[in-house]
Amino acid sequence: MEVVEQIFLVLAYVAGLGFLISGLDDLFFDSHFLVYLFRNRKAPNISLQELKLAQEQWVALLVPAWQEGGVVNKMAEYAARVILYEKYHIFIGVYPNDPETIACVDLVVAENPRIHKVMVPHAGPTSKADCLNALYRAMRQNEVPGVREYGVIALHDAEDILHPLVVKVYNYFVPREYDMAQVPVFALELPWLKYWAGNTYMDDFSELHTKDLFVRQSLGGIVPSAGVGTAFSRRTLDWLAAGNDGDPFLVGNLTEDYEVGIRVKRAGFRAGIVSYPVDRLVRRKKRDGTLGLPRPVTEIVAIRENFPKTFWTAVRQRSRWILGISFQTWEQAGWAGTLPMRYTLLRDRRAPLTHFINMLGYLVLVYLVLQWAFSHSPWANLFYVRPLLVTDSVLLKIAIIDTGLLGYRVLQKMISVYVIYNFKQALASAPRMVIGNLINFMATVRALKMYLGSKLFGKPFVWLKTAHEFPGEAELTEYQKSIEDLLVEEGLATREQIYQALRAEQGNSAPLCLLRLGLIDERSFSDVWRRYSGLGVRFVNPREPDPALLRDFRESDSLAYEALPVSRNEISVQAAFREPPSDEVVSELGRRFEMEVRPFLARPSNIAAARNWAYPRLVLPPSAPVADVAPFRQAAQLNPAEWLELLQVHQSTGQSVPDLLVDQGRLTGQAARDIWAQALGVPAVDEQGVELDRPAHARLPAPLWWFHRLLPVEGNRLLVTGLVHPHLEALLAEQGNGRRARVAELPSRFEWFAKNQGVQIDPETSLLKHLVGQGRLSGEDMANIEAMQTLIADPVAKWLLMQRLVDERTLHRAFLEASGLPIAGRWREEEIGRLKSVLPPGFAVEHGCYCLEEGEGHLRIGLAQMPSARVIRRVQERLTGYGLFFQALTLEDAAVLKGLAERRK
């Protein structure tokens, strides 16, 4: 028993002294962090605008891959989608005997020209350094002198999650401030109760990349590369290659990243860590599933990645680190350098000794616990066990100091974890230190075994591959930049504007809220979503959507999803979306169409215009040539880009194509009228000396003329902007206007002419004046209602009923008298059902507007109330190329039709 006591006494002294020396060293090291903070307290912060406006260099991202099928392709796709940078390429190194990885990389390379596959010239696995050298050579071959020369080269792994601004950070700081810059690397957070071993990486990298590397840099010591998130200036990498037969990385080292940091520092290059904080807006989901208001958070531009989750996979990975850093690099690189450099090398190379001492400490602790338990057992009076820690002994004093130093070390770890993660993980980091020490000890034993096996038996070192996985989209959303951040970074809105817009338009995305409030335009709306999602934006020709797809995807579906299926091939359906769809929506539509759905983005007005054109024509015959805009393009001699821009303006403003061409000076007014008139089959009006035929106009109420977009002008002529329904011609003849010769005018010029001639073009104003004239409303009511029209979206008729200013029958009679529309004749329920898609879903019930009959390209439209000018414009724009005849519905017919429409809905 005495021998055991002596052994543990010696172990206790060894462990105690080891802890004391290590703890005092850590205390000395950490004190310099305070010095670093003091020295840099007044250092100016780089603004986000400065970061973004820095002139872009060509940046190459090198990604070595061995047995990374299903991982490296996802990493590259994600990076290409989120990176906010233009001049960069991703090079992925693969081996000829790794077909799965090659197949995955081939797929992503085919879809993205920024991504390049590099075939290592020999079978793998060799080493990560060997693969990086092949990537470096391929990068140089991809250069075009004076056009594309890579000024910054960054190292990444196949499982890296890149921050959207990380390449911007590389570009700004390399080589401006550093020749080798390391951005922080942090582990993805795992459930703290399930992954005790996996979360030790959170603890270690939090402390290393929020404190330790800054101290190393401040002292002038070695700042090692983490192997990911490390950016080199081109000059640095070329210099390293020149001293190693054209290859910058030493093939014989398993930790080429750590070793290259030593060579960079010894060569006099500037090496450091770049921790760039940015603010971003986060919207969390509420209990009802909707997004709450954004709240600002501050994060560091960093690389996130999955590390090994289990005990033995962590041992395997760390054994490679220990073997490379503490054994191989010591042997290959020696101790050359300044005193701070040697000091930091000593801290790194003492790791195996520290891990053994930690195990000795745990053995001594177990012995103390057993000793204490024995002293409180019934056998304590039979056997004497000498206490290991005696009062006033040197060992006890050392133990007390060690305990204080341990408490300090635990506090440092908790603070570092809390800064990057949260308070719960910070608390859990304390017990995880025990797990981490056990992993490090086992890894040290394994590394020592491999090193001795190589020295004694000549066993070669091979790439100790760690199995990787790339996170799913649900995990990635926490780390990718939010759309609100992108809006701020692009200068499209301030955080305050976004916050106010989301309060006003709750439940919608920030870009949509800003668009509806007029704070951004459609171009910016679609472009910011493009940059955020990586989906392309293109123009949808209204005639392009496949009718067969539209029959399976009703207009109500198109409105609900804000999407439009456009075309399909043997394997997929191409669909336009206003905003990037979720994976759930894409999957749902895929099941609906029974094939893959490939989304792209289109401007909101483009989708609306294509929808307005396509759905009515599922049941209507082809429209008249007046709807064809091709002759105007030919006359204006526009190139494809100019024509596309014109069509987008036409769709977003509602202004007709010929009117836009005239406004832009691309066509004269008369030339545009001539083309318009030719499509209508009538002469064009001469813009000189046209006057309203006021007596003829007075024979019929102003709304009747306005509904049909025609006016009588002098010379027994009828000014028209579209086809004239035969029933309308008969009505005009019956009302004493006779048969007038039709002359064509452009739509916007027609409105200008009407206003210039003093014609009332607002049907609702005509209704109100009629009610005032009949004594149903007072002049004061009229003024109040006109003021309210600027604030309310409801039709005036509906508002009058809600306010009980008139009853329904009186209002309907006033509508009949003010509009001058004839009462609609008989209609058939079957015909109304057939024509239900002519008008948008819900439009009939909301506005009292029903499509009654179609024949030979003409439509009868029944109105149950006085429509607004906006409603009439919507109907006319949707049904361009068809002759329209508006009629009034009786109250009884209106009630029946409303019931039919609601049942169909």
Side-chain angles (χ1 to χ4, degrees), residues 192 196 199-200 202-203 417 425 428-436:
W192 68 285
W196 287 91
N199 279 333
T200 59
M202 289 171 35
D203 309 336
V417 174
Q425 293 289 5
S429 67
R432 284 201 297 258
M433 289 181 69
V434 178
I435 307 296

Side-chain angles (χ1 to χ4, degrees), residues 491-758:
L492 297 174
T494 64
R495 296 186 187 277
E496 181 62 27
Q497 286 175 325
I498 292 174
Y499 184 80
Q500 295 300 331
L502 290 171
R503 286 180 63 90
E505 297 269 351
Q506 292 187 11
N508 292 320
S509 69
L512 185 59
C513 294
L514 295 171
L515 177 67
R516 288 179 172 175
L517 293 174
L519 296 176
I520 61 175
D521 58 21
E522 284 198 330
R523 181 196 295 271
S524 299
F525 172 85
S526 294
D527 189 59
V528 76
W529 274 125
R530 174 189 63 80
R531 295 180 67 86
Y532 179 77
S533 67
L535 295 176
V537 180
R538 77 174 181 86
F539 179 80
V540 178
N541 189 315
R543 295 163 176 78
E544 186 180 356
D546 184 348
L549 288 174
L550 299 183
R551 291 189 180 94
D552 294 334
F553 194 76
R554 297 173 300 177
E555 189 169 5
S556 57
D557 298 325
S558 177
L559 290 165
Y561 290 100
E562 282 301 335
L564 191 69
V566 177
S567 61
R568 71 170 128 199
N569 52 34
E570 293 79 4
I571 60 172
S572 65
V573 170
Q574 288 72 45
F577 287 83
R578 180 181 68 185
E579 297 179 302
S582 66
D583 290 341
E584 292 77 11
V585 167
V586 173
S587 298
E588 182 181 339
L589 295 183
R591 289 190 296 269
R592 185 164 182 167
F593 290 116
E594 297 182 344
M595 60 175 56
E596 179 187 3
V597 171
R598 294 191 174 182
F600 64 90
L601 300 177
R603 293 186 185 181
S605 63
N606 183 212
I607 293 178
R611 183 168 53 225
N612 279 336
W613 174 274
Y615 280 102
R617 286 157 180 82
L618 292 178
V619 297
L620 296 178
S623 52
V626 69
D628 185 9
V629 293
F632 293 99
R633 176 186 178 182
Q634 296 171 0
Q637 298 181 341
L638 299 181
N639 62 42
E642 293 171 331
W643 180 242
L644 178 60
E645 182 62 29
L646 184 87
L647 291 179
Q648 289 173 335
V649 174
H650 153 65
Q651 292 176 353
S652 62
T653 63
Q655 193 174 2
S656 73
V657 168
D659 283 310
L660 280 172
L661 290 171
V662 174
D663 288 346
Q664 294 178 4
R666 297 181 179 274
L667 283 179
T668 64
Q670 197 58 50
R673 284 190 192 89
D674 289 340
I675 300 172
W676 190 257
Q678 185 177 2
L680 291 174
V682 300
V685 67
D686 185 354
E687 60 183 337
Q688 301 298 325
V690 180
E691 291 292 335
L692 180 70
D693 187 341
R694 296 186 183 277
H697 182 265
R699 294 190 189 103
L700 293 173
L704 185 142
W705 297 105
W706 178 246
F707 289 161
H708 299 97
R709 290 294 183 95
L710 45 81
L711 285 173
V713 294
E714 293 179 347
N716 199 34
R717 293 177 298 170
L718 193 65
L719 193 66
V720 300
T721 61
L723 300 179
V724 179
H725 196 289
H727 292 181
L728 179 59
E729 283 193 297
L731 174 66
L732 295 176
E734 291 172 5
Q735 297 297 328
N737 280 289
R739 295 285 179 179
R740 288 176 169 263
R742 282 175 280 172
V743 289
E745 177 59 288
L746 300 176
S748 293
R749 268 60 189 172
F750 176 85
E751 290 196 21
W752 177 85
F753 174 77
K755 290 179 181 179
N756 194 46
Q757 296 291 318

Side-chain angles (χ1 to χ4, degrees), residues 841-901:
F843 189 87
V845 173
E846 182 180 358
H847 300 290
C849 183
Y850 304 88
C851 191
L852 303 178
E853 183 183 50
E854 178 271 321
E856 298 181 356
H858 299 289
L859 291 166
R860 283 199 302 128
I861 307 293
L863 298 176
Q865 63 188 28
M866 184 70 83
S868 66
R870 182 177 61 87
V871 167
I872 292 298
R873 286 192 184 97
R874 285 187 64 187
V875 173
Q876 290 165 338
E877 289 170 4
R878 185 175 173 98
L879 299 175
T880 298
Y882 297 98
L884 305 182
F885 182 43
F886 290 94
Q887 296 177 296
L889 297 168
T890 64
L891 278 176
E892 294 74 16
D893 281 348
V896 173
L897 289 171
K898 182 177 181 181
L900 288 174

Side-chain angles (χ1 to χ4, degrees), residues 816-834:
L816 295 178
E817 294 170 355
S819 67
L821 295 177
I823 299 296
R826 291 164 49 180
W827 47 267
R828 294 180 297 112
E829 183 176 341
E830 297 81 5
E831 179 73 351
I832 289 176
R834 182 179 75 86

Side-chain angles (χ1 to χ4, degrees), residues 6-310:
Q6 291 298 324
I7 290 174
F8 275 96
L9 182 63
V10 172
L11 293 179
Y13 268 104
V14 172
L17 289 172
F19 288 155
L20 180 62
I21 295 172
S22 178
L24 291 174
D25 176 49
D26 288 340
L27 189 63
F28 168 78
F29 188 81
D30 291 344
S31 66
H32 280 76
F33 187 57
L34 299 177
V35 175
Y36 167 82
L37 294 176
F38 180 79
R39 286 176 178 173
N40 291 273
R41 70 190 187 282
K42 294 183 180 181
N45 293 322
I46 305 301
S47 70
L48 187 59
Q49 185 177 14
E50 289 178 282
L51 188 76
K52 291 179 60 180
L53 294 181
Q55 184 176 357
E56 289 194 355
Q57 310 169 76
W58 276 101
V59 178
L61 308 181
L62 309 186
V63 184
W66 163 250
Q67 294 183 350
E68 299 288 5
V71 178
V72 69
N73 53 313
K74 294 179 181 178
M75 174 267 185
E77 288 172 350
Y78 177 78
R81 190 170 82 235
V82 304
I83 286 176
L84 300 177
Y85 201 81
E86 294 298 330
K87 298 168 70 173
Y88 76 94
H89 282 162
I90 300 175
F91 295 86
I92 304 175
V94 298
Y95 288 86
N97 59 330
D98 187 4
E100 183 180 356
T101 304
I102 291 173
C104 291
V105 173
D106 283 340
L107 289 176
V108 72
V109 166
E111 294 179 356
N112 196 315
R114 294 183 187 274
I115 304 173
H116 306 275
K117 180 183 75 174
V118 177
M119 186 68 71
V120 180
H122 37 260
T126 51
S127 67
K128 190 174 178 181
D130 181 51
C131 192
L132 286 171
N133 288 333
L135 288 167
Y136 170 76
R137 292 190 296 268
M139 175 206 75
R140 297 189 62 174
Q141 292 174 0
N142 192 61
E143 291 182 314
V144 179
V147 177
R148 182 176 62 242
E149 297 178 343
Y150 300 100
V152 179
I153 299 95
L155 309 185
H156 284 280
D157 273 354
E159 75 278 14
D160 288 358
I161 302 170
L162 275 64
H163 191 284
L165 288 173
V166 70
V167 184
K168 287 283 189 185
V169 170
Y170 295 157
N171 177 67
Y172 187 89
F173 289 95
V174 180
R176 185 192 309 239
E177 294 189 19
Y178 300 107
D179 299 298
M180 187 191 88
Q182 175 67 56
V183 301
V185 179
F186 299 123
L188 287 175
E189 182 178 358
L190 300 170
W192 68 285
L193 285 175
K194 185 177 180 181
Y195 295 102
W196 287 91
N199 279 333
T200 59
Y201 287 92
M202 289 171 35
D203 309 336
D204 294 344
F205 277 89
S206 294
E207 189 168 17
L208 181 64
H209 285 187
T210 61
K211 183 194 66 177
D212 286 13
L213 291 189
F214 293 96
V215 177
R216 286 169 171 264
Q217 180 180 340
S218 178
L219 288 172
I222 302 295
V223 179
S225 161
V228 299
T230 308
F232 298 89
S233 68
R234 177 58 178 273
R235 181 173 70 99
T236 303
L237 223 54
D238 286 348
W239 185 90
L240 293 173
N244 188 41
D245 297 327
D247 291 332
F249 302 99
L250 295 182
V251 174
N253 196 303
L254 292 180
T255 50
E256 75 297 323
D257 44 6
Y258 178 84
E259 184 276 335
V260 79
I262 297 176
R263 285 195 287 150
V264 167
K265 182 65 177 178
R266 286 176 176 173
F269 291 109
R270 300 161 300 164
I273 182 168
V274 178
S275 185
Y276 185 83
V278 292
D279 293 331
R280 68 183 179 110
L281 295 174
V282 175
R283 297 179 71 187
R284 306 290 186 188
K285 279 191 176 180
K286 298 187 290 188
R287 291 183 178 179
D288 60 2
T290 61
L291 290 172
L293 292 174
R295 63 181 183 87
V297 298
T298 301
E299 68 177 10
I300 296 172
V301 175
I303 306 302
R304 305 268 180 167
E305 63 179 75
N306 273 320
F307 285 94
K309 297 178 181 179
T310 65

